[in-house]
């Protein structure tokens, strides 16, 4: 088909894409990377105990926050599509406990792991089903299923949750290393790259992002919104389940509440990673960087001798500062602020006078 | 009460005070910050670290979490602490990291709540499980008779010590009071509001219950409060395991009959002494093998305590102002709950309506 | 002049049905009322009570009933505050530490210096408002999405709560507090219920009969339209967080009076955040904003408290209690017809449309 | 009926914008524009999409601040105007999309911002309800004051906005494209309200892309082009041709058929809809479209055309009925299956259902063919995507800075072209165009219809939904009339006339 152009697009204009659409995301990602470098440099130079860890010691620190990163990757998939999953923490607990209990029943541990991951995906599918079938807020649905998964985990775990898994298992998902690099980090790298490819380079990822931007328009464009969302929740459940397995391996024990403390950090990572909580905008690379940024920040502060309370609060403060920075980066916001001030100054008296009349 | 105390307490001895002893870094890591039991431990520890030549740090997760403790242990290893003392939030989760610490030459001592034996050198048990369980049951029977219905209030279904206590109570009941019946176990989730609702629920749902036995700090207060609120004071007896201070009101108004507990402040002191001795033992000081160690040892007479199964060892608490001699269990003891390398701190104290005012913890 | 709908309305069933004429609403009044969440809840509360007492005759004993009521008041008050924020299309995840800080903020002076309860009331209100203002600043002035802003303050306020306790615990409150928290005003009518009812009534009146109250609904419905109608949108949003903080602070005092203690984990240990959201939600306030009200939330809180007691009474193993709450939330959500529009989360911070998209 | 509210002001004050300029993100949207609104006049702003009409009215209503220039109301200079202060001075903007608070009552929507208060300064619902009926009557709106605003039709909402202006005692009322979502009949009702306001010496501002309306309603017309005022004068001094020339900067061949009628009766039937039913929206709908044919679907707003189209495209469930594409039954009816089978649908509500405003044009254009971006392996191919988008946007002549431009920064007409480009990429056999020219300026309208004509010429079967009968007459080879969800008639070739269609769509019979 060809038609007479009424007027033509400017030639060569398509190169300008990165300058407009993705610019903010790029700036954000670069800023995160820079911040990470600055942070590591600071700890290395200013904290002797951190320096004395050596390369392998520093890399080993990762073992303590990569599961948060895994949950965050899954969470990011859901958030990109404009939803949220609050049940990921409970899901981690559940999958860890399930794996451990199955193993305790005599199942091969790897088989148990696969089954637990399957159950986690199923749990995610339940979330997705409730959200898409009844067309209701995922915030609320997952708020509810969070309790349910937690209860199931407690019930499965019983009084004395299993521990002391086979060596091969603990090595791979727990504390083993290849040279100075923890096995966990390698597994995480694989998952992270896969998640990044999924979102940035596949048809499914494209659908997901478009759904996040405008759900109705996606439907009208032939994207199967329900199915895509369902899979997003499955992905989130699966990655949360994987995190649960990692956690169990690292601690060499399963516990029914082990994931509870992972939810908020994971959401923090997602937001800090630059994913718009309303969906659409954001990059997996940002989430990955934010995992390391927050992780090293917390661990570094602890090694510096700060209390874990301080570390947690610093996390909150960093989050607020970054968000303020983000608003500031958004040059529209600046213009808006100027406009607002003008409004305020000139319109103040009137506004004050004004309710009644 | 001072608002604004810091959450990680650090105390460094002046070199002069620690005569002849190298200063060592000891960390005390309870389950979480802000729990009175652990604050009392800390108080005891702080009172003796000076003379023991200990550079002391008190740090814990903000909310009870085994993962939070693991992060802290990791950072303590990186900071080259000499001894880590901990009250384990979970017996198994910190095992790998504590083993890493031991491998790095750090002495690990658990107190209050033990970890797996493979992950610590010593455990300071509060008190023998059977002794404290018997105390509670005997007091309850004295109040309600040997045929009564009683209920237990615990924190969570998987709280290790509480499970042990419940077990000890059950075996004691089976042996001594076969007609005493435990009708239910309520779980207050370690917080007072839930404990209150649970206890209220129990009182309503089990009208025949004559005594409630709360064995967790929050459950104790919640139960007494439920009894008071429902005007059952004196009709339903409350006997439990907990500190007297938060319950003064209920002792006074008759909603609370008896509590059992060890001396938490003393336990903190003992933990620090143990830390010093374990360090000495690992660094060449002679073992404490004498049947009766010197009554008032000076630092130069101190001996170290080694991980050495199978041989009874003794040491004297006088160095930190504790009365008596402590023995280190050589092997596990089902009845008391002791395991290898366990020091049982003390017999429980009993708090009653007539003596509760004497205690400030 | 002709009505616009005249030519098509009588014929087009779609439109006529949707136009909600006066005749239509006066018809099945009872049916319409039955659709109201408040009434459904009252029925549910009664039904659950009847069921439980069939299982356990003592369930309806007057002591238990008033206990269920009294036990729900601190959640109720916080949930009412949460409702106000949600009506304005926000969410407040920091109510638990606000409650906790208020409780210890007056708990220690009360314990150590016998602080008078009126002064305590003043103090919790100030504390609550100050912390609420922090949220309001981040959401309404800086423009951070509410869920994120309050998530951040959750961590920060939570930390402050720990620091303020200094590891201590409030254990002995003066009798005046305890009496307020547990004594009855009339036989079977605890003081707390009176307090809770008063709060609900005041907030109901405020939301229904004052310009500011109505503006909250307007802003929650459509911030742009409200802005055009002259509502000071940012100020209203700010206010919702301040009031939510204030009521969370009041909830702290009620908690202190009722439970008699407070420490570093007060508020977070009983999951006040989730419970207040759950109560609001069960009470029919939708996260879309602009729809719902305090009465439903209060009933929701009572229902939650009753459901927990009913589970204890019917010997549901304690480990399944959270699942029960979770199931209630899920059921409330999927039966809430108001909540269908897709992107509930899409509560973007309000921006004056000076540069906004068309 | 209630007594109308106390007679309003003796007349609006003269409201002038003098030398107003405004730029967004460095792009000049308005340059040195002056315009005057007088009492007792309808002053129309005309111009192409993106000419700056809405922006000008928004500045005058206090929504935006001008970068330069002044606003004078009755000689008094206004500074730092906000929507609220504008309303307090009697200036009200009825936005293009009515912005109401859906779950609040009609009464409350009317009075928001000026809620009536009784004793103790609390809201006096009874008084407001009484007053509300009066204002509603004034604009001829017969709805329950307690009804929720979201229950009203778009037209009713528009009138509610108008009543709100009255309730706020505003005497200068701006209507930004009020008629684009309305039927001719509804528009006529609105116009009669506007006329009566004009008689009462209100000052009215008006924007419309429909030239007939502009010519019919205006007392004065100002034409904007590229943010400059290119013409300003009394209606009497203008005719259609001069208006169009001023707006577009060139002459247009207006309203004549661009292509001859096509008798496609011999051609292959590409789309066949049979007995499609989804009560109460529509029932037993049957029609067909042949290769190369443009079939109009005529009807009033609310007659159910969009519902039918959406059902055909698999967006809505149906009770029964079949859709066949080139003889083959569309079994799995969802948009994806339709697109893959060669059926596409250009939605009516572009902003909500069409564009991804915060996404670049490239990804907007390829959104309908995502599966095809992935021919080898699981990964997308950026270069292929780019060239596909480049080709399609060139075909439909989207005017934009680059493919990376955000969709939101395109003007309405160009957004519509990008939407067309999206569906061209799908290589359709049948296309359903639902109100393709809504909110699109005259020049772009012409282009879009020409484009549709060309596509039909290449064999595309087109189903065209439009509420402007004259557009159908000018474009279609055949027309199917829908009334209350039923197909009530079909007109062929030269029978497709304004008069015939007009009779059918209100349930009558053609002469
Ligand atoms: N908030 C904004 N930010 C950036 N650009 C804007 C904004 N508002 C309008 N524009 C741009 O300003 C130009 C004029 O817009 P305006 O809405 O005034 O046009 P219009 O004449 O009303 O067009 P239409 O007939 O399509 O409604 C357009 O190019 C538009 O993209
Ligand atoms: N009274 C109403 N209130 C709210 N929404 C309505 C009302 N009537 C119709 N709609 C919605 O407006 C949209 C337009 O559909 P409509 O029924 O007007 O069909 P149509 O014949 O395609 O009219 P047109 O395309 O000219 O608007 C539909 O999604 C419909 O649900
Ligand atoms: Mg416009
Ligand atoms: Mg339509």
């Amino acid at each position: 088909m060809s038609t007479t152009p009424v007027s033509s697009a400017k030639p060569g204009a398509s190169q300008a894409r990165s300058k407009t659409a993705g610019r903010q995301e790029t700036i954000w990602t670069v800023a995160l990377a820079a911040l990470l470098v600055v942070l590591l440099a600071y700890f290395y130079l200013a904290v002797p105990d951190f320096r004395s860890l050596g390369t392998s010691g520093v890399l080993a620190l990762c073992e303590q926050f990569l599961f948060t990163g895994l949950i965050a990757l899954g969470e990011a998939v859901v958030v990109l599509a404009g939803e949220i999953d609050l049940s990921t923490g409970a899901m981690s607990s559940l999958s860890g406990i399930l794996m451990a209990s199955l193993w305790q029943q005599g199942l091969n541990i790897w088989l148990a792991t696969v089954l637990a991951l399957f159950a986690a995906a199923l749990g995610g599918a339940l979330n997705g089903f409730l959200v898409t079938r009844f067309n209701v807020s995922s915030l609320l649905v997952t708020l509810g299923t969070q309790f349910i998964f937690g209860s199931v985990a407690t019930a499965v775990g019983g009084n004395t949750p299993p521990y002391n898994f086979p060596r091969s298992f603990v090595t791979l998902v727990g504390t083993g290393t290849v040279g100075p690099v923890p096995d966990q980090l390698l597994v995480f790298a694989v998952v992270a790259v896969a998640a990044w490819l999924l979102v940035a380079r596949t048809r499914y990822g494209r659908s997901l992002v478009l759904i996040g931007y405008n759900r109705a328009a996606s439907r009208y464009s032939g994207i199967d919104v329900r199915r895509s969302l369902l899979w997003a929740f499955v992905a989130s459940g699966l990655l949360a389940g994987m995190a649960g397995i990692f956690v169990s391996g690292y601690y060499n024990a399963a516990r029914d509440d082990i994931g509870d403390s992972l939810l908020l950090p994971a959401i923090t990572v997602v937001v800090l990673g630059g994913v718009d909580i309303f969906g659409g905008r954001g990059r997996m690379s940002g989430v990955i960087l934010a995992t390391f940024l927050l992780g090293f920040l917390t661990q570094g502060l602890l090694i510096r001798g700060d209390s874990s309370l301080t570390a947690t609060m610093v996390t909150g403060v960093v989050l607020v500062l970054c968000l303020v920075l983000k608003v500031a980066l958004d040059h529209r916001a600046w213009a808006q602020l100027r406009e607002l001030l003008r409004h305020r100054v000139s319109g103040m008296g009137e506004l004050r006078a004004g309710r009644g009349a | 009460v001072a608002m604004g105390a810091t959450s990680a307490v650090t105390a460094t001895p002046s070199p002069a005070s620690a005569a002849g002893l190298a200063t060592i870094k000891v960390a005390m890591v309870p389950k979480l910050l802000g729990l009175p039991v652990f604050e009392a431990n800390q108080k005891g520890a702080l009172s003796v670290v000076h003379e023991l030549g200990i550079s002391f740090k008190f740090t814990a997760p903000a909310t009870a979490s085994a993962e939070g403790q693991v992060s802290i242990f990791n950072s303590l290893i990186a900071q080259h602490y000499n001894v880590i003392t901990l009250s384990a939030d979970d017996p198994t989760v910190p095992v790998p990291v504590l083993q890493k610490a031991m491998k790095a030459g750090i002495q690990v001592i658990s107190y209050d709540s033990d970890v797996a034996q493979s992950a610590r050198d010593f455990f300071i048990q509060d008190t023998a499980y059977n002794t404290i369980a018997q105390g509670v049951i005997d007091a309850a029977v004295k109040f309600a008779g040997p045929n009564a219905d009683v209920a237990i209030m615990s924190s969570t279904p998987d709280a290790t010590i509480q499970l042990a206590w419940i077990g000890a109570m059950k075996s004691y009941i089976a042996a001594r009071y076969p007609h005493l019946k435990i009708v239910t176990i309520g779980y207050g989730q370690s917080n007072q509001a839930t404990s209150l609702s649970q206890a209220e629920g129990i009182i309503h749902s089990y009208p025949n219950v004559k005594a409630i036995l709360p064995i967790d700090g929050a459950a104790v207060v919640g139960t007494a409060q439920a009894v008071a609120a429902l005007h059952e004071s004196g009709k339903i007896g409350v006997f439990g395991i907990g500190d007297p201070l938060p319950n003064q009101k209920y002792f006074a108004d008759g909603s609370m009959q008896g509590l059992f507990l060890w001396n938490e402040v003393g336990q903190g002191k003992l933990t620090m002494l143990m830390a010093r001795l374990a360090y000495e033992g690992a660094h060449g000081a002679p073992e404490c093998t004498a049947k009766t160690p010197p009554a008032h040892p000076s630092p130069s007479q101190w001996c170290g305590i080694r991980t050495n199964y199978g041989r009874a060892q003794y040491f004297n608490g006088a160095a930190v102002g504790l009365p008596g001699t402590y023995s280190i269990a050589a092997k596990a003891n089902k009845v008391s709950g002791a395991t290898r390398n366990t020091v049982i701190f003390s017999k429980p104290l009993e708090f009653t309506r007539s003596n509760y005012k004497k205690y400030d913890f | 002049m002709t009505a616009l709908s005249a030519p098509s309305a009588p014929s087009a069933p779609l439109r006529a049905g949707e136009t909600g004429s006066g005749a239509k609403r006066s018809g099945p009044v009872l049916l319409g009322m039955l659709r109201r969440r408040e009434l459904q809840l009252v029925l549910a509360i009664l039904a659950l009570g009847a069921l439980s007492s069939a299982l356990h005759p003592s369930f309806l004993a007057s002591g238990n009933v008033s206990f269920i009521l009294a036990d729900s008041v601190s959640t109720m008050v916080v949930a009412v505050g949460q409702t106000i924020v949600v009506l304005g299309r926000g969410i407040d995840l920091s109510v638990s530490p606000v409650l906790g800080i208020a409780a210890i903020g007056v708990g220690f002076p009360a314990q150590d210096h016998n602080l008078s309860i009126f002064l305590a009331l003043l103090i919790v209100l100030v504390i609550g408002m100050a912390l609420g203002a922090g949220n309001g600043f981040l959401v309404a002035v800086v423009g951070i999405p509410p869920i994120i802003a309050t998530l951040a303050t959750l961590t920060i306020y939570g930390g402050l709560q720990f620091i303020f306790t200094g590891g201590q615990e409030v254990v002995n409150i003066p009798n005046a507090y305890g009496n307020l928290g547990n004594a009855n005003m009339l036989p079977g009518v605890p003081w707390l219920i009176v307090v809770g009812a008063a709060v609900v009534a005041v907030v109901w009146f405020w939301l229904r009969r004052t310009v500011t109250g109505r503006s909250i609904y307007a802003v929650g419905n459509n911030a742009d339209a409200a802005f055009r109608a002259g509502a000071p949108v940012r100020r209203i949003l700010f206010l919702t967080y301040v009031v939510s903080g204030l009521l969370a602070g009041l909830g702290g005092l009620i908690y202190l009076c009722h439970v008699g203690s407070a420490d570093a984990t007060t508020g977070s240990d009983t999951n006040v955040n989730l419970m207040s959201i759950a109560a609001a939600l069960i009470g029919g306030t939708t996260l879309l904003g602009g729809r719902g009200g305090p009465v439903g939330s209060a009933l929701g809180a009572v229902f939650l408290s009753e459901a927990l007691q009913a589970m204890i009474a019917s010997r549901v193993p304690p480990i399944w209690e959270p699942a029960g709450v979770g199931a209630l939330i899920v059921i409330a959500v999927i039966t809430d017809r108001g909540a269908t529009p897709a992107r509930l989360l899409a509560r973007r911070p309000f921006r004056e449309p000076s540069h906004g998209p068309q | 009926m209630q007594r109308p509210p106390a007679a309003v002001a003796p007349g609006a004050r003269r409201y002038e914008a003098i030398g107003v300029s405004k730029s967004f993100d460095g792009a000049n949207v308005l340059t040195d524009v002056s315009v005057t609104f007088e009492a007792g006049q309808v002053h129309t702003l005309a111009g192409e999409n993106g000419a700056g009409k809405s922006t000008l009215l928004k500045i005058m209503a206090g929504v935006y601040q001008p970068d330069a220039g002044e606003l004078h109301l009755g000689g008094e200079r206004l500074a730092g105007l906000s929507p609220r202060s504008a309303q307090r001075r009697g200036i009200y903007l009825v936005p293009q999309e009515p912005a109401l608070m859906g779950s609040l009552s009609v009464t409350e929507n009317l009075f928001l911002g000026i809620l009536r208060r009784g004793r103790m300064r609390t809201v006096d619902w009874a008084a407001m309800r009484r007053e509300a009926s009066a204002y509603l009557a004034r604009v001829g709106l017969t709805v329950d004051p307690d009804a929720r605003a979201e229950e009203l039709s778009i037209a009713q909402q528009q009138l509610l906005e108008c009543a709100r202006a009255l309730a706020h005692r505003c005497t200068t009322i701006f209507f930004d494209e009020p008629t684009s979502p309305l039927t001719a009949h509804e528009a006529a009702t609105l116009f009669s309200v506007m006329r009566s306001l004009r008689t009462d010496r209100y000052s009215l501002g008006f924007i419309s892309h429909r030239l007939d309306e502009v010519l019919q309603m205006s007392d004065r017309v100002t034409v904007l082009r590229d943010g400059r005022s290119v013409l300003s004068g009394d209606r009497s001094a203008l005719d259609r041709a001069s208006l169009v020339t001023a707006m577009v900067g060139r002459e247009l061949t207006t309203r004549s058929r661009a292509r001859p009628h096509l008798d496609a009766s011999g051609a292959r039937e590409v789309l066949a809809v049979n007995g499609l039913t989804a009560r109460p929206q529509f029932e037993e709908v049957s029609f067909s479209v042949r290769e190369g044919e443009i079939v109009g679907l005529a009807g009033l707003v609310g007659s159910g055309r969009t519902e039918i189209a959406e059902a055909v495209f698999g967006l809505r469930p149906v009770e029964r009925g079949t859709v066949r594409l080139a003889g083959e039954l569309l079994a799995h009816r969802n948009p994806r299956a339709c697109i893959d089978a060669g059926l596409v649908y250009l939605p009516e509500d572009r902003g909500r259902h069409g564009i991804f405003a915060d996404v670049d044009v490239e990804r907007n254009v390829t959104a309908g063919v995502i599966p095809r971006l992935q021919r080898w392996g699981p990964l997308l191919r950026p270069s292929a995507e780019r060239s596909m988008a480049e080709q399609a946007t060139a075909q439909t002549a989207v005017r934009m800075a680059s493919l990376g431009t955000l969709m939101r920064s395109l003007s309405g007409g160009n957004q519509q072209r990008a939407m067309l480009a999206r569906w061209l990429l799908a290589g359709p056999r049948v296309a359903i165009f639902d109100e393709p020219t809504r909110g699109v300026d005259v020049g772009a309208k012409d282009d879009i219809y020409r484009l549709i004509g060309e596509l039909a010429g290449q064999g595309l079967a087109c189903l065209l939904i439009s509420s402007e009968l004259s557009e159908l007459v000018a474009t279609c080879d055949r027309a199917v009339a829908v009334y209350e969800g039923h197909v009530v008639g079909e007109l062929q070739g030269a029978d497709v006339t304004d008069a015939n269609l007009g009779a059918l769509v209100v349930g009558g019979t053609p002469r």
Side-chain angles (χ1 to χ4, degrees), chain A residues 147-181:
Chain A
F147 286 109
I148 298 176
F149 295 156
S151 275
V152 175
T154 310
V156 172
N159 285 348
T160 45
Y163 62 101
N164 230 344
F165 306 121
R167 180 140 214 96
S168 60
F169 177 80
V170 175
T171 306
L172 182 60
V173 305
T175 50
T177 56
V178 176
V181 186

Side-chain angles (χ1 to χ4, degrees), chain A residues 129-200:
Chain A
F129 171 76
L130 289 174
V131 170
T132 56
R133 168 68 183 77
F134 297 100
N135 198 14
V136 292
S137 150
S138 53
L139 180 72
L140 303 177
V141 166
T142 57
L143 183 72
T145 53
Q146 174 193 32
F147 286 109
I148 298 176
F149 295 156
S151 275
V152 175
T154 310
V156 172
N159 285 348
T160 45
Y163 62 101
N164 230 344
F165 306 121
R167 180 140 214 96
S168 60
F169 177 80
V170 175
T171 306
L172 182 60
V173 305
T175 50
T177 56
V178 176
V181 186
D183 289 351
Q184 267 199 36
L185 188 57
L186 298 176
V187 179
F188 179 79
V190 171
V191 175
V193 168
W196 171 74
L197 278 177
L198 177 84
V199 168

